[in-house]
Amino acid sequence: MHTLIQGIILGVLTGGVYALMASGQTLIFGVMKVVNLAQGAFVIASAYLAFSLFTQFGIDPLVAVLITTPLMFGIGVVGHWLFLRPLRSEDANQLSLLITFALAMLVEGILSMTYRTTYRSINTSYANKAFDIGGFSVSAVRLYGFIVSCVLLIVLYIVLQKTRFGRAIRATVQNPQSATLLGVDSVRVKAYGFGLGISTAAASGSIYGLLFPFNSGSHYDLISRLLSVVVLGGLGSIGGAVLAGVIIGVVSSVAAVTWSPTWSEMTFFVVLILVLLVRPQGMFGRVERGAL
Amino acid sequence: MNNINHSNSGVLLKLTDVVAGYGSGMVLKGVNLELKKGDVMCLIGPNGAGKSTVLKTVSGLLPPKEGAVVFEGQNIAGHTPKENLRRGIVHVPQERSLFPGMTVWDNLLMGGYLIRSRKVIQDRIDEAAHLFPIVTERRNTHAGSLSGGEQKQVELARTLIFDPKLILLDEPSIGLDPKSRRLVFEAIRGLATAGRTILLVEQNARSGLAAADQGAILETGLVRITGVAATLLEDPEVARLYLGASTMTRPPAKTQQEN
Ligand SMILES: Nc1ncnc2c1ncn2[C@@H]1O[C@H](COP(=O)(O)OP(=O)(O)OP(=O)(O)O)[C@@H](O)[C@H]1O
Ligand SMILES: [Mg+2]
């Protein structure tokens, strides 16, 4: 029983981080109907950035988020402008998959050249610290990561729900023609929406770098996990992605403690296949109903 | 300077030999149309005639290939919807145009997307609520869960947030029951009384013409007939060809608009 609860705690904490990564991915799908295969690569790139900021300047990875988030936003906007904007809308759906995959390769290539392919990890002073909460051991890194993820998810929620820019994004997602007719510049919304989606990679990267050793190829594993989360949540649904992140986090962590770590790895893919077979639109996805 | 000349003659919108289409085909083959300030014009015609396309060339959703779209004395052909919105042209498309997952209130706020002053938006919403009380009664309801008729009312209310000079309405009565339809036409009359200029496309041709000052008939991409709406309604030839023959033998009574 103790190990089970321990597993659930661990799962919720890890799930919060998946939730953050996946929210960006699903936001991008919502705004542009693009499955962004480069999301994992941007997370790893952010992990490297956090690594450099830590080793070169001694900036804590969780503080570095304040630097990397706007940076990733900018990279997202520029990336959209360079690679996705030129697509003609008729081709966009099919081609964008190839283009974001190419973008992932590009990021990976740059990272391998800059940092080589040896595994890195970020060893902060609290890397091995753990809190004892009611008899359960909670690692400091996971707890901090979870808190940062929650804060950013709340910020993301407020931006989308309460600001003019957020309304424009939601409007574009729900009815692009109508948004255009009300004066929304859809190209700009898409660029900023893509930037916002990519910017969630920044904090995710810092936390990922604190939790796991990584190299430039780590994004393959990551993107397949993210896809499972996003598909379970329902493509385009941020609430769904958050819930799915936590569910998958818990299931895989419980599988690890009660069964075997190998099965834990498999959870993501089992979930992905089950969802695609049973309910392809995911928990909160809409079956093409005009809006999304 | 041009402006003054045109506003003197009272013409708000004038289409001259407008040619437009999707891809290589031509849908509009030289449309001519003139709309006076403060008038309601109803554009009717068979499915596929190009009625919606006319509205798109005016709002900027579809740039015309040839011809001029002159609004307040300025040729706006090929300008973007955003630019035309700033000039005061609002287009309510044929398809549902609310954002279904947003509240009625957020939908109205989107109607004022280009207006920076929250105060102005708030005032306009209050004004719109006089004509369409539903927007305050159901302000926190998700637009997608309103009935079709209720959604139409919110759409119409939303156009007012922009204080438009010209409202383009594409088949506002489509899919509505007789009661909601009557409400929509009453609303259009209300807008007209308030001095708005409206270009209305209607499949319910009789009701549309009855609510309009002017009428125009579009067929295969050309305007065939234009005239005073009431005259068109009483013209037996027009009735036979475009309105359905039901009341051909009797002069149409103005109060019986339900068909
Ligand atoms: N987005 C589009 N892409 C390609 N062709 C289109 C598009 N929209 C309309 N058309 C074509 O243009 C022609 C005119 O369409 P339009 O929508 O203007 O007709 P309409 O008079 O509004 O008809 P309805 O009464 O059915 O609404 C039709 O033949 C239609 O197939
Ligand atoms: Mg039409």
Side-chain angles (χ1 to χ4, degrees):
Chain A
M1 193 60 202
H2 186 273
T3 41
L4 186 66
I5 295 177
Q6 181 77 58
I8 292 175
I9 293 173
L10 186 67
V12 170
L13 296 181
T14 317
V17 184
Y18 282 125
L20 180 63
M21 297 185 201
S23 65
Q25 168 112 10
T26 211
L27 174 68
I28 288 173
F29 181 83
V31 178
M32 334 182 36
K33 305 288 170 287
V34 163
V35 177
N36 177 27
L37 294 179
Q39 191 76 9
F42 284 112
V43 172
I44 300 302
S46 305
Y48 274 112
L49 277 173
F51 172 81
S52 288
L53 288 169
F54 181 66
T55 51
Q56 307 285 313
F57 305 101
I59 300 173
D60 184 275
L62 294 177
V63 176
V65 166
L66 296 173
I67 303 168
T68 52
T69 302
L71 189 65
M72 281 295 148
F73 178 82
I75 290 178
V77 173
V78 173
H80 173 268
W81 195 79
L82 285 178
F83 300 110
L84 291 165
R85 186 191 53 101
L87 288 185
R88 299 188 318 146
S89 53
E90 304 94 273
D91 315 329
N93 284 351
Q94 292 95 1
L95 279 184
S96 60
L97 210 59
L98 291 175
I99 287 183
T100 59
F101 188 64
L103 195 56
M105 302 283 95
L106 178 69
V107 172
E108 182 188 343
I110 293 173
L111 293 176
S112 334
M113 286 197 307
T114 319
Y115 294 96
R116 315 261 162 249
T117 52
T118 40
Y119 274 86
R120 313 280 175 160
S121 42
I122 309 177
N123 294 303
T124 53
S125 56
Y126 52 86
N128 297 313
K129 197 171 140 197
F131 299 106
D132 182 7
I133 298 175
F136 298 100
S137 162
V138 177
S139 101
V141 166
R142 284 182 194 268
L143 185 63
Y144 297 159
F146 179 75
I147 293 169
V148 169
S149 299
C150 288
V151 168
L152 286 172
L153 281 169
I154 291 168
V155 170
L156 186 63
Y157 177 83
I158 291 172
V159 167
L160 287 174
Q161 294 295 322
K162 302 291 175 201
T163 68
R164 178 173 177 273
F165 168 56
R167 269 197 302 279
I169 289 192
R170 284 186 294 141
T172 305
V173 170
Q174 293 176 23
N175 194 334
Q177 171 177 281
S178 198
T180 307
L181 281 175
L182 294 171
V184 176
D185 184 337
S186 65
V187 175
R188 197 181 302 171
V189 161
K190 282 178 180 175
Y192 290 168
F194 194 71
L196 196 60
I198 300 291
S199 73
T200 64
S204 320
S206 282
I207 301 164
Y208 190 93
L210 287 169
L211 290 176
F212 312 107
F214 56 92
N215 77 352
S216 52
S218 302
H219 71 97
Y220 293 106
D221 181 49
L222 193 54
I223 191 64
S224 43
R225 286 165 189 244
L226 284 185
L227 286 177
S228 318
V229 173
V230 167
V231 167
L232 174 62
L235 271 169
S237 163
I238 293 187
V242 171
L243 192 60
V246 174
I247 290 177
I248 297 194
V250 169
V251 170
S252 89
S253 147
V254 166
V257 292
T258 57
W259 218 346
S260 88
T262 325
W263 272 104
S264 160
E265 295 293 312
M266 289 297 291
T267 344
F268 287 88
F269 312 110
V270 173
V271 166
L272 180 60
I273 288 165
L274 279 182
V275 172
L276 289 177
L277 286 176
V278 178
R279 192 177 157 82
Q281 74 271 37
M283 293 188 292
F284 293 94
R286 274 170 268 187
V287 190
E288 206 60 37
R289 203 194 60 188
L292 211 143
Chain B
M1 284 128 269
N2 244 344
N3 274 348
I4 298 163
N5 288 338
H6 281 271
S7 48
N8 278 346
S9 62
V11 175
L12 185 67
L13 177 74
K14 186 174 165 126
L15 277 69
T16 314
D17 299 328
V18 168
V19 176
Y22 309 85
S24 55
M26 294 301 155
V27 176
L28 305 183
K29 297 164 187 155
V31 167
N32 291 292
L33 211 59
E34 197 173 280
L35 182 53
K36 287 206 176 61
K37 203 171 205 158
D39 269 3
V40 177
M41 174 181 273
C42 179
L43 187 60
I44 62 174
N47 293 125
K51 304 181 295 295
S52 300
T53 309
V54 169
L55 298 192
K56 288 180 198 171
T57 60
V58 176
S59 68
L61 268 187
L62 183 73
K65 294 184 173 138
E66 285 170 41
V69 178
V70 175
F71 179 76
E72 292 191 314
Q74 192 187 359
N75 188 0
I76 58 164
H79 289 212
T80 64
K82 190 171 169 176
E83 289 166 335
N84 292 335
L85 199 58
R86 285 224 159 91
R87 293 194 172 89
I89 303 176
V90 174
H91 181 176
V92 183
Q94 187 168 351
E95 307 79 36
R96 292 196 168 183
S97 75
L98 293 183
F99 306 109
M102 287 163 73
T103 61
V104 168
W105 195 255
D106 277 355
N107 267 281
L108 293 176
L109 290 181
M110 278 309 296
Y113 180 72
L114 289 183
I115 302 172
R116 289 300 179 139
S117 155
R118 191 65 183 241
K119 166 95 177 55
V120 171
I121 297 178
Q122 183 64 54
D123 289 349
R124 300 256 173 86
I125 291 180
D126 291 343
E127 281 171 39
H130 279 298
L131 220 47
F132 305 98
I134 187 171
V135 299
T136 37
E137 288 159 16
R138 309 289 294 275
R139 59 178 283 167
N140 293 321
T141 311
H142 277 211
S145 51
L146 296 175
S147 78
E150 291 166 335
Q151 292 194 23
K152 253 321 153 210
Q153 295 187 39
V154 178
E155 284 181 31
L156 291 175
R158 189 172 67 181
T159 64
L160 299 181
I161 313 304
F162 221 81
D163 191 19
K165 292 177 183 158
L166 172 63
I167 306 177
L168 308 169
L169 292 179
D170 202 341
E171 307 210 9
S173 76
I174 199 166
L176 301 186
D177 66 35
K179 183 161 166 279
S180 311
R181 209 185 299 160
R182 205 163 44 234
L183 281 176
V184 164
F185 284 114
E186 270 169 24
I188 291 171
R189 277 320 312 172
L191 293 174
T193 314
R196 308 280 178 184
T197 313
I198 300 173
L199 180 52
L200 168 71
V201 166
E202 257 308 328
Q203 210 57 255
N204 292 308
R206 273 175 207 286
S207 312
L209 286 173
D213 305 299
Q214 298 289 318
I217 297 172
L218 190 77
E219 206 177 355
T220 57
L222 287 170
V223 174
R224 304 284 177 182
I225 303 172
T226 57
V228 175
T231 316
L232 292 182
L233 265 175
E234 281 161 21
D235 186 322
E237 187 67 9
V238 170
R240 189 176 62 80
L241 287 173
Y242 302 105
L243 305 181
S246 55
T247 55
M248 199 190 94
T249 49
R250 286 166 279 143
K254 272 222 150 180
T255 44
Q256 292 175 340
Q257 294 163 11
E258 288 174 41
N259 49 357

